[in-house]
Amino acid sequence: MITLLGIVAGFALIISAMILGGSPLAFVDVPSILIVLGGTVAITIVSFSPKDLQLIPGALWHMMTYTPLDPREAGVTMIQISERARKQGLMSLEKLTSTMNNEPFLQKALNLTVDGASVEEIEQILQKEIHYTASIQSKSVDLLRRAAEVAPAMGLIGTLVGLVQMLGNLSDPSTIGPAMSVALLTTFYGAVLAHMVLMPLATKAERNSQNESTLNALYLTGALSISREENPRRLEMQLNAMLPQTHRIRYFE
């Protein structure tokens, strides 16, 4: 919601300025929209393989809608799960995993532990999962950043198209206005698309990806500790080694 509200607020300010300065319809030009939007999509697609383009939309949607937990809260959760497994046995976690649909990585990690997989097997499977997820998310961020690079360039191309049309028809004054409109509005559309939509989304997606990677690393450490049947106090020390000083866990204190 914060992402959506931020983008809507930015566009609301621009539209308000258009209305206060005159007719907002003067800023609507179909050829300019086609050049910027169509060109940005086409050139961005060229930069990626068909396989990547099939996986990226789903990853982008997940990164935009994913609300990561605070790492300290996730660490405390893992310690509580470790205590439960130590007191009640691994099978007591079976019912717990069914309530973790919002955290599929943690759910998978605990399922592997409950199913009796070896520590080496759990680590191997989950490390591959972390690497694959990070790879797809990195490509998703690259797509947004690539589109943000292309959009202003397409705006510049549209400006050159409009100027060529204008200079080629100076003898007909009626064509100067529409040609100049294309020349200016394509630059405007390209700048707005890149700096008000694509770049903020890329930054948000990258931050969410980093947060999710941190959480997955904490979950992996917790699952391995539970599988080894280690003392939860030892798990707390391991998790604190992965967290910054200001986010250290003080569960047993």
Side-chain angles (χ1 to χ4, degrees), residues 21-233:
S23 174
L25 293 178
F27 290 87
V28 178
D29 186 80
V30 176
S32 298
I33 295 174
L34 292 177
I35 291 173
V36 174
L37 288 182
T40 299
V41 171
I43 300 304
T44 302
I45 287 176
V46 172
S47 305
F48 296 86
S49 67
K51 182 178 179 181
D52 291 338
L53 294 174
Q54 291 177 355
L55 299 174
I56 284 175
L60 277 176
W61 175 254
H62 170 72
M63 293 162 70
M64 289 297 104
T65 58
Y66 177 70
T67 303
L69 296 174
D70 180 82
R72 180 162 46 191
E73 293 180 5
V76 170
T77 298
M78 290 309 303
I79 294 173
Q80 291 172 341
I81 295 174
S82 176
E83 281 191 313
R84 177 171 177 171
R86 189 175 179 85
K87 294 177 180 178
Q88 303 178 22
L90 288 178
M91 297 307 297
S92 65
L93 304 182
E94 190 170 4
K95 292 182 179 180
L96 185 63
T97 58
S98 62
T99 64
M100 296 181 174
N101 295 327
N102 59 330
E103 291 291 343
F105 185 87
L106 176 58
Q107 186 180 50
K108 183 174 184 178
L110 294 180
N111 281 332
L112 288 171
T113 303
V114 172
D115 291 342
S118 65
V119 175
E120 293 77 13
E121 186 179 5
I122 294 174
E123 184 173 16
Q124 183 180 21
I125 293 174
L126 295 183
Q127 285 286 9
K128 288 182 178 179
E129 182 83 13
I130 291 175
H131 177 74
Y132 175 78
T133 301
S135 175
I136 296 300
Q137 291 178 345
S138 176
K139 290 177 181 178
S140 302
V141 174
D142 290 343
L143 182 141
L144 290 174
R145 295 198 184 280
R146 176 58 179 160
E149 293 174 357
V150 172
M154 295 308 303
L156 177 60
I157 291 173
T159 298
L160 296 176
V161 170
L163 290 176
V164 169
Q165 292 176 344
M166 184 185 69
L167 294 175
N169 295 279
L170 288 178
S171 58
D172 185 1
S174 64
T175 63
I176 295 178
M180 180 59 72
S181 175
V182 173
L184 296 178
L185 287 178
T186 48
T187 300
F188 172 72
Y189 290 153
V192 168
L193 180 62
H195 297 288
M196 293 188 64
V197 179
L198 297 174
M199 286 301 294
L201 290 180
T203 302
K204 179 71 175 288
E206 186 175 29
R207 186 176 68 253
N208 282 354
S209 176
Q210 292 172 352
N211 290 340
E212 187 173 2
S213 296
T214 300
L215 290 179
N216 288 345
L218 294 174
Y219 292 152
L220 171 60
T221 301
L224 295 178
S225 177
I226 293 171
S227 182
R228 296 191 190 101
E229 299 182 357
E230 295 177 344
N231 192 304
R233 292 180 180 272

